[in-house]
């Protein structure tokens, strides 16, 4: 029986079809990658932090449980935060050094924040004292919340200390999604 052989035109058509198929497959994979990238962009543009998670709003307790103005700042290690109560009011300070990102500590001896990596030092309110850090520590927006209504009674949107109200039951919230850069060192 004679073998069926493709004519030169048919061979050319098969080649073209194969090329077309590869082109379509390549374009489809490119489309998938683009869709994935677009999806990631949307996810990043719409953060879904739960309350109490770093990146969201942290309830750091009632006014009555804040450290006093003479006390050391309170470490909140799970959410990279120091709650610092100064003479001027309460602050939420980001626990990452403004030099190269080390986690710094509170030094009882120096009565200031000290970074173990390169020795930058900051006051209790986050103000730069010395070392290679380019600026004061970053802070977060702090709010005082009415414990009964949940209304915002006071808010510090620029990172400055927020005066503490008389109501010991008022809640203190730190919005770790709203970071305010420390002032550059002079
Ligand atoms: S990372 Fe803190 S001083 Fe360098």
């Amino acid at each position: 029986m004679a073998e069926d052989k493709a004519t030169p035109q048919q061979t050319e058509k098969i080649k073209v079809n194969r090329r077309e198929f590869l082109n379509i497959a390549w374009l489809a994979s490119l489309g998938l990658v683009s869709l994935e990238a677009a999806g990631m962009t949307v996810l990043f543009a719409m953060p879904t932090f739960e309350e109490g998670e770093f990146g969201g709003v942290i309830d750091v307790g009632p006014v009555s449980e804040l450290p006093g103005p003479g006390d050391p700042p309170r470490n909140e290690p799970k959410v990279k935060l120091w709650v610092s109560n100064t003479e001027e009011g309460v602050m939420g300070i980001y626990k990452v050094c403004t030099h190269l990102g080390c986690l710094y500590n509170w030094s009882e001896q120096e009565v200031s924040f000290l970074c173990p990596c390169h020795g930058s030092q900051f006051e209790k309110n986050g103000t730069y004292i010395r070392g290679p850090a380019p600026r004061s520590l970053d802070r977060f927006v702090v709010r005082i919340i009415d414990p009964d209504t949940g209304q915002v009674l006071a808010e510090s949107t620029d990172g400055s200390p927020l005066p503490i109200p008389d109501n010991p039951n008022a809640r203190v919230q730190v919005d770790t999604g709203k970071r305010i850069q420390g002032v550059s060192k002079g």
Side-chain angles (χ1 to χ4, degrees), residues 58-77:
I58 314 293
D59 185 322
V60 295
V63 161
S64 60
E65 288 178 15
L66 284 177
D71 295 335
R74 191 171 77 212
N75 189 2
E76 303 277 351

Side-chain angles (χ1 to χ4, degrees), residues 97 99-102 115 117-120 132-133:
C97 180
H99 181 221
L100 293 178
C102 286
C115 183
C117 292
H118 314 98
S120 288

Side-chain angles (χ1 to χ4, degrees), residues 119-183:
S120 288
Q121 189 173 2
F122 308 88
E123 290 177 16
K124 192 180 173 188
N125 65 6
T127 302
Y128 171 87
I129 298 174
R130 64 172 69 89
R135 62 177 193 275
S136 295
L137 296 172
D138 297 342
R139 303 110 197 255
F140 296 110
V141 167
V142 176
R143 300 186 189 105
I144 304 289
I145 305 293
D146 185 303
D148 300 317
T149 65
Q151 278 189 323
V152 177
L153 300 174
E155 185 175 33
S156 170
T157 53
D158 62 358
S160 53
L162 185 60
I164 295 169
D166 288 337
N167 184 350
N169 297 321
R171 309 291 302 187
V172 181
Q173 287 185 349
V174 178
D175 190 343
T176 58
K178 293 189 177 164
R179 179 151 56 99
I180 299 131
Q181 274 212 344
V183 178

